[in-house]
């Protein structure tokens, strides 16, 4: 599979059979991304939580592509109320075998709400995804603090690549993410969720230097990792 980083927490994944996944497509209002909300193509959209910088352009992209939204049930319900026809609701600790591979939804320590007409709508619990496909395992942590149960993920899964937020302020920062990486025992760790806004400005190369040799990998916006 080919995994491309598109700034903030956005990943696109193209499987060998051509199936396309998009994770957390926050495009409108994201000055770092190389994607265009009205041009991106996908079959599946995975949303870690309901914050606007993660659900982003999910609704219009799903409608235009007839894509299926995979997220916690409350986010799926929100998408359906906004006209998305295909959703697959999950909840923390559950896994499901999709045509492209297996997705396990795991917890994240964060919050999740979305403002509609001045009212904060409950969007369920925040989550991360452990995706297993083509014999590889990817962990997208979503927005989270550093938490001890990541050791359980590291024991239960042989993680090839972990995408961890390093921005601080809204999530863990570089030092906590380096600690998380140790417990996850991921072969590669890619920093995400930084430099999009002034309060999450970080040096990703400094984060990589906190990790063991050759574990950390900074992906530039638009850069692809082949697994
Ligand atoms: Ni968030
Ligand atoms: Mn966020």
């Amino acid at each position: 599979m080919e995994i491309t980083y598109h700034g903030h927490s956005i990943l696109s994944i193209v499987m060998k059979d051509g199936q396309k996944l998009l994770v957390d497509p926050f495009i409108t209002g994201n000055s770092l991304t190389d994607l265009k909300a009205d041009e991106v193509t996908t079959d599946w959209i995975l949303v870690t939580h309901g914050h606007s910088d993660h659900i982003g352009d999910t609704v219009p992209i799903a409608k235009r592509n007839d894509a299926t939204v995979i997220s916690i049930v409350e986010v799926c319900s929100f998408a359906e109320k906004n006209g998305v026809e295909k959703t697959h609701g999950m909840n923390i600790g559950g896994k499901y075998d999709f045509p492209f591979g297996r997705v396990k939804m795991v917890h994240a320590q964060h919050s999740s709400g979305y403002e509609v007409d001045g009212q904060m709508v409950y969007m369920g619990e925040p989550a991360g995804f452990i995706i297993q496909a083509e014999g590889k395992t990817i962990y997208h942590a979503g927005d989270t603090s550093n938490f001890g149960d990541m050791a359980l993920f590291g024991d239960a899964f042989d993680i090839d690549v972990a995408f961890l937020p390093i921005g601080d302020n809204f999530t863990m920062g570089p030092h906590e993410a380096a600690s998380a990486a140790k417990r996850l025992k991921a072969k590669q760790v890619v920093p995400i969720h930084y430099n999009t806004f002034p309060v999450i400005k970080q040096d990703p190369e400094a984060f990589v230097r906190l990790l063991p040799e050759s574990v950390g990998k900074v992906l530039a916006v638009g850069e692809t990792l082949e697994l």
Side-chain angles (χ1 to χ4, degrees):
M1 73 186 81
E2 290 184 339
I3 307 173
T4 306
Y5 180 57
H6 298 286
H8 206 56
S9 295
I10 311 174
L11 300 181
S12 64
I13 305 173
V14 182
M15 299 296 174
K16 288 201 173 79
D17 69 0
Q19 290 188 77
K20 291 182 177 175
L21 283 65
L22 198 56
V23 185
D24 285 358
F26 164 52
I27 298 171
T28 302
N30 179 352
S31 58
L32 294 184
T33 194
D34 59 329
L35 294 179
K36 291 192 165 52
D38 54 359
E39 288 176 12
V40 66
T41 61
T42 194
D43 302 301
W44 307 90
I45 305 173
L46 284 75
V47 183
T48 60
H49 64 294
H51 283 158
S52 58
D53 61 319
H54 295 263
I55 195 165
D57 303 276
T58 292
V59 167
I61 294 170
K63 285 185 190 171
R64 184 172 50 76
N65 285 275
D66 194 28
T68 301
V69 173
I70 300 171
S71 191
I72 198 139
V73 289
E74 288 84 356
V75 169
C76 285
S77 160
F78 175 87
E80 283 170 17
K81 284 194 187 87
N82 284 280
V84 173
E85 288 189 6
K86 288 153 66 176
T87 69
H88 183 107
M90 298 182 71
N91 217 316
I92 308 295
K95 62 179 179 300
Y96 188 81
D97 289 320
F98 291 92
F100 59 83
R102 176 174 287 184
V103 176
K104 184 175 175 75
M105 177 171 275
V106 294
H107 57 287
Q109 281 194 326
H110 192 65
S111 64
S112 185
Y114 192 88
E115 202 172 302
V116 179
D117 299 330
Q119 293 290 314
M120 192 56 79
V121 176
Y122 175 62
M123 294 291 263
E125 295 293 299
F129 292 111
I130 297 175
I131 304 166
Q132 293 179 289
E134 299 174 359
K136 302 289 182 185
T137 302
I138 306 156
Y139 173 46
H140 187 300
D143 279 0
T144 187
S145 76
N146 177 20
F147 58 91
D149 281 357
M150 286 185 189
L152 299 178
F153 308 162
D155 287 344
F157 295 92
D158 190 11
I159 301 171
D160 291 284
V161 192
F163 293 87
L164 302 180
I166 65 156
D168 221 329
N169 193 75
F170 301 118
T171 67
M172 55 189 173
H175 281 87
E176 296 88 348
S179 155
K182 199 184 288 178
R183 263 170 287 121
L184 290 163
K185 295 177 281 184
K187 293 186 192 87
Q188 279 202 296
V189 174
V190 176
I192 60 172
H193 208 272
Y194 63 92
N195 289 357
T196 327
F197 319 115
V199 290
I200 60 170
K201 193 164 169 47
Q202 297 293 343
D203 175 0
E205 295 295 349
F207 165 68
V208 163
R209 289 195 290 275
L210 299 173
L211 301 172
E213 184 94 39
S214 80
V215 168
K217 168 129 183 85
V218 176
L219 288 183
V221 171
E223 191 176 350
T224 299
L225 189 69
E226 285 216 29
L227 272 192

